[in-house]
Amino acid sequence: MKRRTLPVAAAFAAAATLLLTACGGGDDKSGDSDKIAGADQGAEKPSASAEPPGAPAEDKPDGVDVSLPADIDLVFDWEKPKDENEAAAMDDAANFFRAIYRGVDKRTTEDAALVAYSTGDGSKYARTQIDVRLEGGWTATGTRRHYQATTRSAPNGNSVEVAFCVDSSKFYSKEVKTGKVLKGTPSITDFDYFKIIMVKLPTGDGLWQASKVYVEGKAAKCQ
């Protein structure tokens, strides 16, 4: 599926407080400046362990299983940039969201994929998203589309901002116990605009981790 193999551990200590890093477009501090918000965020090194079994090679881009059940379809409808680092950061931004919904499906916040593809506030965001669904007794089903992606590198080359739209109009919560799919009325609330700050793991072979997550809800520009 991807460019390298780096086994990582399945265990990760739970954060004492789960915070949702979400703010409107005016709070991301990007503006016209060359600086990227959160670009000084360091990456955390995942500790190594045996490669997780049970998934085909294309579903283990870094030796980590990011496979999802057939009814969870995350579509990344974007073109990779020419810059090698930006392309790798974009790949792992996609893996970050695969890790979140793998955690939702597996009913855990401690899957190896979360260790590999998130750090700092990115980990807190991911765990919050999973915990909300665990507490509600929900999993996910349907198609979540990611599109209109752009990338921007920090001057030091160790951080990349990956920005994109998300259409969740065909992506639903599903009750774990009953299998009932919870469908609401389509609206602008189905559209979000994300900015993910990806940081390069210093000792990893091209591994990037989500360190900050900024979300603009009800994003009319994504309709």
Side-chain angles (χ1 to χ4, degrees):
M1 175 180 175
K2 212 168 52 162
R3 57 200 177 278
R4 73 264 179 204
T5 299
L6 177 66
V8 296
F12 189 76
T17 305
L18 296 173
L19 301 175
L20 174 62
T21 304
C23 59
D27 295 331
D28 58 38
K29 305 185 188 302
S30 56
D32 296 327
S33 171
D34 288 336
K35 293 183 179 180
I36 296 177
D40 57 347
Q41 174 78 35
E44 295 179 1
K45 179 182 177 182
S47 55
S49 72
E51 181 175 306
E58 61 268 22
D59 286 330
K60 298 196 296 189
D62 295 288
V64 182
D65 191 349
V66 292
S67 61
L68 294 168
D71 67 331
I72 297 180
D73 187 14
L74 303 185
V75 176
F76 297 94
D77 187 13
W78 56 38
E79 294 183 5
K80 290 184 183 180
K82 294 181 179 179
D83 181 87
E84 183 177 346
N85 277 347
E86 292 184 3
M90 180 180 279
D91 277 346
D92 286 344
N95 287 329
F96 171 61
F97 282 99
R98 292 186 182 106
I100 290 174
Y101 286 100
R102 179 174 171 81
V104 170
D105 176 61
K106 299 298 183 183
R107 321 303 294 164
T108 181
T109 59
E110 301 196 23
D111 190 79
L114 283 180
V115 180
Y117 297 114
S118 66
T119 186
D121 287 344
S123 295
K124 294 175 184 177
Y125 171 85
R127 290 170 182 231
T128 299
Q129 296 302 301
I130 294 170
D131 276 334
V132 165
R133 290 162 176 82
L134 296 185
E135 291 168 7
W138 310 313
T139 182
T141 189
T143 300
R144 188 178 196 255
R145 181 170 167 255
H146 311 71
Y147 54 101
Q148 294 181 11
T150 60
T151 53
R152 186 168 58 130
S153 297
N156 63 11
N158 292 326
S159 298
V160 173
E161 176 192 272
V162 182
F164 52 91
C165 288
V166 172
D167 176 1
S168 299
S169 60
K170 297 181 180 179
F171 197 60
Y172 314 107
S173 294
K174 181 173 70 172
E175 293 180 352
V176 174
K177 289 184 178 180
T178 67
K180 180 181 179 181
V181 177
L182 309 177
K183 294 184 178 182
T185 302
S187 71
I188 195 173
T189 60
D190 294 323
F191 296 89
D192 299 297
Y193 184 68
F194 279 80
K195 289 185 179 180
I196 312 294
I197 306 302
M198 304 296 296
V199 293
K200 190 174 185 179
L201 186 68
T203 57
D205 183 17
L207 178 65
W208 294 74
Q209 297 176 311
S211 67
K212 299 275 186 185
V213 179
Y214 300 93
V215 188
E216 177 187 339
K218 299 181 181 180
K221 59 189 171 187
C222 293
Q223 286 184 305

